[in-house]
Amino acid sequence: MADFRQALQARAFRRIRGADYNRAREEIEAGREPGVAVKLFYEVILDDDVGWEAFRDRTFPRFARYLRDKKHDPESPRGVLVAVFANERCLLLHGPDFVSLLTEIEGLNAAALHFRVLQWLTD
């Protein structure tokens, strides 16, 4: 899916230069970003030549296992911020918005998402 990058852009609550990520993260951790309550950060690299399937298969299983290990719900990761680095840009997404990208593109309902997450956690 070619326009998954556009969907990522649309879900981002903030777009910054990659070089500004650490400063933005510090502001968020200090509570200076209105409406953003984050307990956990997850960082992803999106290479130019990577399509949806490769991005999905590389990113979401690791994301689910990371959340499980940190005692967060992989299906509804509230309090999680995902930073997607693409070239010189960084997209900041709320965890539930990142998961909604997967469910929308893959056409998953809640039961199908649950089954997929269970597969990732047992692999």
Side-chain angles (χ1 to χ4, degrees):
M1 163 167 264
D3 54 28
F4 83 94
R5 293 168 192 275
Q6 293 172 340
L8 272 168
Q9 288 268 352
R11 282 177 171 71
F13 70 88
R14 191 166 169 197
R15 293 160 201 82
I16 59 175
R17 291 182 325 121
D20 295 334
Y21 171 69
N22 287 332
R23 186 169 359 113
R25 181 175 171 158
E26 289 172 5
E27 291 172 4
I28 291 167
E29 288 176 324
R32 292 190 299 262
E33 179 79 25
V36 180
V38 175
K39 299 174 187 162
L40 193 62
F41 290 81
Y42 191 76
E43 299 167 358
V44 176
I45 296 172
L46 175 58
D47 295 318
D48 285 339
D49 60 344
V50 172
W52 167 249
E53 289 82 12
F55 178 76
R56 175 197 64 206
D57 295 344
R58 184 184 72 211
T59 303
F60 285 97
R62 291 177 184 167
F63 182 59
R65 289 189 291 270
Y66 175 76
L67 293 175
R68 177 203 56 202
D69 293 348
K70 296 293 186 178
K71 309 289 189 252
H72 281 265
D73 180 2
E75 295 173 46
S76 181
R78 291 181 187 90
V80 176
L81 182 138
V82 179
V84 180
F85 293 90
N87 294 323
E88 303 294 320
R89 306 297 300 161
C90 179
L91 306 172
L92 302 180
L93 292 87
H94 295 288
D97 294 332
F98 190 63
V99 172
S100 77
L101 174 76
L102 171 72
T103 59
E104 180 182 302
I105 292 174
E106 296 287 310
L108 303 175
N109 62 22
L113 174 64
H114 180 72
F115 181 72
R116 178 107 28 123
V117 169
L118 288 177
Q119 285 180 312
W120 291 334
L121 295 178
T122 59
D123 283 346

